[in-house]
Amino acid sequence: NTGPESGEVKSEGESQNISFTLKQVHCQEDEDFMSEFDRMLADNLLERTRETPRPAHSHISVPVHVKSSAKKTYDQLVSEGVEEEPSKPVVNFILLTRAGNKQQFTNVEMPVNSDLVMKLRTREEAEKME
Amino acid sequence: EEEEEGGFFLKELPEYACRYCGIHDPSTVVLCNICCKWFCNGRGNTSGSHIINHLVRAKHKEVSLHKDGLVRDTVLECYSCAVKNVFVLGFIPAKAESVVVLLCRQPCAAQSSLRDMNWDPEQWKPLINDRALLPWLVRIPTEAEQLRARQITAQQINKLEELWKENSNATFDDLQRPGVDEEPQQVCLRYEDGFQYQNIFGPLVKLEADYDKKLKESQTQDKIEVRWDVGLNKKICAYFTLAKTDGDMRLMHGDELRLRYLGDLHKPWSGVGHVIKIPDNFGEEVGIELKTNVGVPTECKDKFVVDFVWKSTSFDRMQAALRKFAVDDSSVSPYIYHRLLGHVEVDELIFRHIHLPKQLSAPNLPTLNNSQQYALKHALQRPLSLIQGPPGTGKTVTSATIVYQLVKQTGGAVLVCAPSNTAVDQLTEKIHKTGLKVVRLCAKSREAIDSPVSFLALHNQIRNLEDNGELQKLQQLKEETGELSSNDEKRYRMLKKQAEKSLLEAADVICCTCVGAGDPRLARLKFHSILIDESMQATEPECMVPVVLGAKQLILVGDHCQLGPVVMCKKASRAGLSQSLFERLVVLGIRPFRLTVQYRMHPQLAQFPSNFFYEGSLQNGVVDADRTMKGVNFPWPQPDKPQFFYVTSGQEEIAGSGTSYLNRTEASCVEKLVTRFLNSCVKPEQIGVITPYEGQRAYLVQYMQYQGPLNQKLYQRIEVASVDAFQGREKDLIIMSCVRSNEHQGIGFLSDPRRLNVALTRARYGIIIVGNPKVLSKQGLWNHLLHHFKDKKVLVEGPLNNLKESMMQFSKPKRLMN
Ligand SMILES: [Zn+2]
Ligand SMILES: [Zn+2]
Ligand SMILES: [Zn+2]
């Protein structure tokens, strides 16, 4: 065999980098979209305050089994997230939703630098200080 | 036995693909509950993600996630009040646990009771942030994914939303669909994305298909007399003569014809067969091999009708390839994708870490010269390369060596294609010499046609498999009896399929025509490296048929200074279908690597083509002595320059068919030249006669055989054909009859410089052009050629044994605009 290791060409091939990026194109249609979006957001929120619908499930508690798994320290959560995919700095959270009368729990991965994760961390640190 | 075109090849976008851009990874898409259309969470080049763009424009507010997404099958609704309006939905975290709950902002997240239950309502955050859904709910497609998708603009989004108000099923394609009478959209140099590419080429392929269909189906001929015969494989063959089908219609080996019986000596019958013989020097008969021997009325001789059977296969495969290129991101690597679309931002990539082999050659093939070695290195080091092979520069050997080195380097199978069967066969033969395991895949309709590499054809390799006794027994039985019982037939097909599969999987190299690469038998295979020879003769969609089989390294070999693809539909041709991919990539600035040493022509013959088509870059790998015919007594006007222009002024006539031309004076000149060569011991096989018109071809063949003083059989063995038929080949001597001799009209075919280049570069030892300089000199390039001949004192007239320099004057050459 006069050629190199077979893997080499392939790995080069896979990493064929494309050096250009998505560019946002400014145009009237896009400007219109942005202002329409702002208006829709404001209108919809405003509508809710006027209608004042009644919440059906005003009592929201975190079920025990979820609590135990979710009751972890920030450091534990980070290491769990990191272990799975080292390249993605994420923290596992549980998302609580409802479909009809059924509660649903889904694992979601929050980015480490999100507000949510930051707050969780500062609170824990504060608790530790006490 | 019809070829099944596998459904799996026709990959369509899934239902959950973004209606704007086509992205379809389940984790990136969202369903609009109101109109039941899916959109992705990427923003492309707009300022909001596609789903938000849609919701805002359509005033829709409710969505569901994909069941295979980040959060399974969830209609997004408030945990507490069940409102589904995503514009008011958000979430709050628990105080101490890593739990969040989906809640609307008003009133649910504002309830004071929440605080007592360890929630933190102060931290309410909306689900829509920065005009996209939160990335932990719906993944934002990566930049690479978005760049690979359709690049839809805000204007197009607007238009599409408008269309949906009238027709909810409208698609992006409906935005660009031209009306029936409109001219098709012109091809571009660059394309936004694979969808635009498909949208432009799809209609052109359709136009060409429709034209081809109309042409073939209008060719029915009646009152046909049939001569029956039985082939070596026991199949019944029918021979008959068709009235001249001049013009566009060209019958080819493997075409299908239907024969019908209309007489009263037999009940009505019709049968389909593949063409196995076309009109040639040996007779004007057409031969077909019937698909089945059952019920053929071989006792009847006349009252038959012949129909041309149009097959959509090749066009279907091109359409499928275009579609695959647009929607299937595994069809080609991202790099190839963006380069082919002409995205200028993509830098040229070089495989830096590749170890070039020390031995830049392949077993049993000639050692490469310098420019061939550079071409080889150039190709091995790049994911996309163009190699330009001017006439006689050893393109086939270079290609075969590249294929050999690719197999050695990647260890994977290489796909090798060319537009024509002849070119594929030539290359297959060379690659086989290197000792690689080669399979030549033929269309089923061509299995009966013999070629120098028949033994490498898949169907023959199966026949010769050693360890498959049952398959061979059935095969033998089938050949002996013509038909198998239905159970045996089933078993036979199954065994054959298995054997085909294992042979294809074990091959180092698979060779087929471009269209042949769309064969269902290849549909499950992926090819990392693909080489396309003679690629300038394929239309772009034709080239794409092999390319979409997974190309990560693509080598296009060709020469954009020689003839391009044949496109019969004028509309499609005008719109640019006749420009090859090779040519477009050259225009895009990808520099083709040129082979520069020619080994074919006498150096004197190479001079003009080198100067006018290759910027004077062609060097000669042969010297005058190598290309001087020994012992041949021929009155060359300048013996050290074996070429001349033979001045005639014969009249052109419209040929019998009404659509072609002939020129009797030129025909008689050609016969005299040919006879002179034959008399001085030149073999008929060494001579090629080129004429651009079918009318002249038929007339010349007749004229030589009946008016020539020598044995008819000698003239029969001389090949008389169009320029196009000689592309890719060579002859020792070429005589060209120009035919057109009309002061008022153009010179038609002859005005294409690429055709002239091909015509001038077929001869090894000598070339003679017969024509009317007065007419030809009006065209720029011909004017230069005539002056070139005049300067060399080889523009001559008079009887052959007393040729004299012609004193004819014609206009000065104009500066050529290239
Ligand atoms: Zn909708
Ligand atoms: Zn999209
Ligand atoms: Zn609510």
Side-chain angles (χ1 to χ4, degrees):
Chain A
N1 192 349
T2 53
E5 292 303 301
S6 61
E8 246 169 87
V9 181
K10 280 193 185 124
S11 59
E12 271 281 332
E14 308 295 354
S15 68
Q16 294 173 351
N17 281 324
I18 293 136
S19 63
F20 64 103
T21 49
L22 277 173
K23 272 173 272 175
Q24 195 179 321
V25 178
H26 296 279
C27 59
Q28 192 52 50
E29 284 82 354
D30 201 47
E31 298 280 323
D32 293 348
F33 158 72
M34 286 194 276
S35 48
E36 189 58 29
F37 172 80
D38 292 342
R39 208 169 72 213
M40 210 163 152
L41 199 62
D43 285 357
N44 279 287
L45 286 171
L46 198 66
E47 213 172 301
R48 297 290 288 174
T49 53
R50 276 201 300 260
E51 277 177 20
T52 58
R54 295 227 64 106
H57 306 271
S58 54
H59 187 82
I60 310 168
S61 56
V62 180
V64 185
H65 73 279
V66 175
K67 241 181 180 168
S68 58
S69 69
K71 186 83 184 173
K72 282 184 182 157
T73 64
Y74 168 78
D75 292 328
Q76 282 171 323
L77 291 166
V78 168
S79 60
E80 269 174 26
V82 168
E83 225 167 87
E84 273 173 20
E85 215 175 316
S87 62
K88 244 197 323 187
V90 291
V91 175
N92 286 325
F93 265 71
I94 288 163
L95 169 67
L96 184 55
T97 54
R98 179 186 290 279
N101 274 328
K102 236 181 112 228
Q103 282 188 316
Q104 280 185 334
F105 312 99
T106 320
N107 283 312
V108 289
E109 294 180 335
M110 296 285 177
V112 153
N113 57 359
S114 64
D115 271 6
L116 199 66
V117 177
M118 306 277 234
K119 285 255 168 66
L120 186 70
R121 181 179 198 170
T122 33
R123 181 162 37 224
E124 266 179 30
E125 275 165 3
E127 275 168 15
K128 262 187 223 161
M129 296 290 274
E130 279 165 24
Chain B
E1 195 181 341
E2 278 305 304
E3 288 177 44
E4 5 147 9
E5 293 290 310
F8 44 84
F9 189 60
L10 306 173
K11 184 162 176 176
E12 299 278 2
L13 282 176
E15 172 216 24
Y16 54 84
C18 175
R19 286 296 194 103
Y20 291 162
C21 73
I23 282 181
H24 53 272
D25 186 285
S27 65
T28 62
V29 290
V30 186
L31 177 72
C32 169
N33 291 350
I34 311 303
C35 61
C36 293
K37 293 184 176 73
W38 292 84
F39 298 91
C40 79
N41 201 24
R43 56 187 86 219
N45 53 30
T46 71
S47 54
S49 80
H50 286 162
I51 179 63
I52 304 302
N53 262 288
H54 166 68
L55 295 177
V56 167
R57 289 187 161 90
K59 301 275 178 294
H60 295 164
K61 299 168 192 171
E62 298 178 11
V63 300
S64 307
L65 310 183
H66 194 285
K67 66 173 170 36
D68 300 324
L70 301 179
V71 178
R72 251 163 294 118
D73 204 15
T74 309
V75 180
L76 293 178
E77 62 175 65
C78 171
Y79 183 92
S80 180
C81 73
V83 68
K84 297 189 179 79
N85 183 338
V86 284
F87 290 90
V88 301
L89 283 176
F91 66 96
I92 60 169
K95 272 185 192 140
E97 285 97 348
S98 50
V99 179
V100 294
V101 62
L102 208 58
L103 280 181
C104 72
R105 178 167 170 181
Q106 281 284 345
C108 299
Q111 301 168 83
S112 52
S113 58
L114 282 173
R115 224 159 298 156
D116 312 330
M117 290 178 281
N118 285 318
W119 293 101
D120 193 355
E122 244 69 295
Q123 277 203 62
W124 186 89
K125 292 265 159 44
L127 288 192
I128 303 174
N129 182 32
D130 193 19
R131 297 183 213 93
L133 287 169
L134 293 171
W136 53 265
L137 270 182
V138 186
R139 189 169 70 79
I140 292 171
T142 63
E143 190 143 336
E145 281 174 287
Q146 295 194 47
L147 286 167
R148 178 65 177 77
R150 173 187 287 130
Q151 307 296 302
I152 190 171
T153 63
Q155 290 97 320
Q156 289 167 325
I157 288 178
N158 260 8
K159 274 195 204 146
L160 194 51
E161 290 287 349
E162 283 306 308
L163 265 185
W164 282 335
K165 284 176 187 157
E166 288 155 28
N167 168 17
S168 175
N169 294 321
T171 64
F172 187 89
D173 298 352
D174 296 320
L175 284 184
Q176 321 199 311
R177 192 148 290 159
V180 190
D181 297 325
E182 269 177 69
E183 281 288 318
Q185 218 178 325
Q186 283 283 329
V187 301
C188 312
L189 184 56
R190 299 187 174 85
Y191 299 85
E192 283 288 314
D193 50 45
F195 292 93
Q196 191 200 5
Y197 187 81
Q198 182 195 357
N199 279 327
I200 289 184
F201 278 106
L204 299 185
V205 172
K206 173 93 171 40
L207 277 174
E208 179 72 0
D210 290 346
Y211 184 94
D212 191 49
K213 183 166 195 265
K214 234 166 103 189
L215 186 69
K216 290 246 160 78
E217 289 178 349
S218 68
Q219 297 282 335
T220 294
Q221 296 195 8
D222 58 358
K223 300 193 188 110
I224 298 287
E225 283 179 34
V226 174
R227 176 172 73 80
W228 299 101
D229 200 357
V230 178
L232 288 175
N233 54 2
K234 303 267 165 32
K235 293 222 169 138
I236 296 179
C237 301
Y239 292 88
F240 43 84
T241 306
L242 293 175
K244 280 271 174 307
T245 54
D246 225 282
D248 284 338
M249 185 62 200
R250 258 176 58 214
L251 200 59
M252 297 208 290
H253 286 123
D255 278 353
E256 276 189 10
L257 298 180
R258 182 185 294 107
L259 201 56
R260 284 183 287 142
Y261 180 64
L262 293 188
D264 348 299
L265 300 174
H266 191 276
K267 63 176 193 234
W269 169 86
S270 91
V272 172
H274 305 301
V275 172
I276 54 168
K277 187 200 166 294
I278 54 173
D280 53 23
N281 291 2
F282 298 93
E284 295 296 301
E285 257 185 353
V286 171
I288 61 170
E289 176 190 282
L290 292 173
K291 285 188 174 178
T292 166
N293 287 357
V294 180
V296 181
T298 45
E299 66 276 17
C300 306
K301 305 284 177 241
D302 56 3
K303 300 209 171 113
F304 283 90
V305 171
V306 172
D307 307 309
F308 287 72
V309 180
W310 181 73
K311 282 166 80 182
S312 65
T313 317
S314 53
F315 301 105
D316 292 345
R317 288 178 179 175
M318 293 181 216
Q319 297 285 16
L322 292 171
R323 189 157 53 237
K324 198 170 176 202
F325 182 64
V327 307
D328 181 354
D329 48 19
S330 69
S331 60
V332 295
S333 74
Y335 181 83
I336 298 274
Y337 177 80
H338 292 292
R339 281 316 283 266
L340 294 187
L341 293 176
H343 295 165
V344 278
E345 299 89 338
V346 190
D347 295 330
E348 188 183 37
L349 187 79
I350 295 178
F351 297 144
R352 282 206 182 71
H353 305 297
I354 225 169
H355 301 302
L356 285 169
K358 283 195 194 72
Q359 196 65 13
L360 289 170
S361 58
N364 303 317
L365 290 183
T367 320
L368 301 186
N369 67 32
N370 279 344
S371 76
Q372 292 170 331
Q373 286 190 14
Y374 285 130
L376 171 74
K377 286 188 210 163
H378 183 88
L380 291 180
Q381 288 174 314
R382 280 168 183 76
L384 176 64
S385 48
L386 305 181
I387 295 179
Q388 186 186 8
T393 51
K395 196 161 53 69
T396 313
V397 169
T398 310
S399 297
T401 311
I402 291 172
V403 171
Y404 175 81
Q405 294 294 355
L406 279 174
V407 170
K408 291 291 160 207
Q409 238 164 26
T410 63
V414 175
L415 179 65
V416 173
C417 297
S420 74
N421 279 290
T422 334
V424 176
D425 288 346
Q426 278 181 9
L427 192 48
T428 306
E429 205 175 357
K430 287 271 188 310
I431 297 171
H432 170 67
K433 276 191 180 168
T434 68
L436 292 178
K437 241 182 277 165
V438 185
V439 171
R440 166 74 162 100
L441 186 70
C442 294
K444 293 211 165 115
S445 59
R446 293 185 56 92
E447 286 183 357
I449 298 160
D450 199 36
S451 88
V453 288
S454 287
F455 67 102
L456 294 172
L458 184 61
H459 61 277
N460 286 327
Q461 291 202 33
I462 280 175
R463 202 181 290 261
N464 303 329
L465 274 183
E466 274 167 15
D467 54 347
N468 207 331
E470 194 187 354
L471 177 62
Q472 276 173 335
K473 257 183 222 130
L474 287 169
Q475 176 110 36
Q476 209 176 353
L477 193 65
K478 192 180 165 98
E479 273 159 24
E480 278 163 12
T481 58
E483 318 274 316
L484 288 176
S485 74
S486 78
N487 263 349
D488 279 353
E489 180 70 31
K490 247 191 219 148
R491 179 90 188 133
Y492 167 71
R493 286 195 188 186
M494 203 267 287
L495 288 170
K496 195 170 144 199
K497 224 177 200 163
Q498 276 176 359
E500 283 175 342
K501 193 165 169 266
S502 56
L503 273 171
L504 288 171
E505 280 170 359
D508 293 322
V509 183
I510 294 174
C511 302
C512 58
T513 59
C514 291
V515 166
D519 192 298
R521 288 172 287 183
L522 295 185
R524 286 178 198 284
L525 299 176
K526 281 254 169 207
F527 297 92
H528 175 284
S529 307
I530 300 175
L531 181 141
I532 305 177
D533 194 10
E534 302 278 6
S535 62
M536 74 295 187
Q537 284 203 283
T539 62
E540 277 207 36
E542 196 178 346
C543 238
M544 292 307 282
V545 178
V547 170
V548 298
L549 292 178
K552 288 180 176 155
Q553 187 168 17
L554 177 62
I555 298 151
L556 298 181
V557 184
D559 180 5
H560 53 295
C561 301
Q562 295 184 56
L563 287 169
V566 178
V567 174
M568 294 188 300
C569 169
K570 295 242 161 55
K571 233 182 190 180
S573 177
R574 269 203 307 274
L577 187 60
S578 46
Q579 181 191 45
S580 67
L581 176 60
F582 189 100
E583 212 179 332
R584 181 167 64 86
L585 293 178
V586 171
V587 180
L588 270 172
I590 301 187
R591 236 171 59 106
F593 197 93
R594 188 183 282 169
L595 306 180
T596 52
V597 184
Q598 73 86 13
Y599 298 93
R600 176 183 297 160
M601 296 164 270
H602 187 290
Q604 281 291 329
L605 306 191
Q607 210 176 41
F608 185 85
S610 173
N611 288 339
F612 278 84
F613 302 106
Y614 305 103
E615 297 96 35
S617 69
L618 282 196
Q619 299 155 38
N620 295 303
V622 288
V623 295
D624 291 16
D626 300 324
R627 289 290 173 268
T628 305
M629 286 184 142
K630 288 165 193 88
V632 173
N633 171 29
F634 188 83
W636 295 108
Q638 305 288 330
D640 59 335
K641 300 178 186 115
Q643 58 183 339
F644 64 93
F645 193 104
Y646 200 3
V647 177
T648 63
S649 49
Q651 283 302 300
E652 68 179 47
E653 298 167 40
I654 304 281
S657 60
T659 53
S660 192
Y661 297 90
L662 66 86
N663 187 319
R664 291 169 206 265
T665 317
E666 287 187 17
S668 125
C669 285
V670 170
E671 177 271 307
K672 289 195 179 73
L673 290 163
V674 165
T675 305
R676 181 72 191 237
F677 278 125
L678 293 176
N679 274 331
S680 42
C681 297
V682 171
K683 291 192 189 69
E685 287 74 19
Q686 292 178 276
I687 307 171
V689 179
I690 295 182
T691 174
Y693 296 96
E694 170 61 23
Q696 182 79 341
R697 184 202 68 81
Y699 181 75
L700 250 170
V701 167
Q702 294 288 313
Y703 185 89
M704 290 199 297
Q705 290 184 23
Y706 296 104
Q707 308 290 320
L710 304 175
N711 187 329
Q712 189 175 336
K713 291 241 163 62
L714 279 174
Y715 296 105
Q716 246 177 20
R717 283 154 55 197
I718 291 170
E719 190 172 358
V720 184
S722 64
V723 183
D724 305 50
F726 275 107
Q727 175 146 325
R729 302 167 52 219
E730 59 183 28
K731 285 278 177 188
D732 287 345
L733 294 163
I734 288 286
I735 301 168
M736 178 165 155
S737 166
C738 297
V739 183
R740 298 306 301 274
S741 184
N742 180 318
E743 298 271 354
H744 312 292
Q745 286 168 17
I747 53 173
F749 273 119
L750 296 175
S751 59
D752 183 347
R754 297 180 303 175
R755 190 167 271 109
L756 181 60
N757 183 23
V758 173
L760 293 178
T761 52
R762 299 305 98 195
R764 301 173 74 218
Y765 290 86
I767 185 168
I768 299 163
I769 303 173
V770 183
N772 181 342
K774 270 232 148 54
V775 176
L776 294 166
S777 66
K778 290 184 181 147
Q779 201 268 338
L781 195 55
W782 275 92
N783 188 294
H784 278 270
L785 180 68
L786 286 159
H787 277 278
H788 174 83
F789 275 94
K790 204 174 163 77
D791 294 346
K792 296 208 173 260
K793 303 191 192 311
V794 290
L795 185 80
V796 296
E797 58 194 9
L800 199 46
N801 46 22
N802 188 21
L803 289 172
K804 289 223 164 68
E805 238 188 290
S806 166
M807 289 301 124
M808 184 182 271
Q809 293 299 318
F810 32 78
S811 57
K812 286 254 155 52
K814 291 192 192 81
R815 283 269 312 266
L816 274 183
M817 303 298 283
N818 226 342

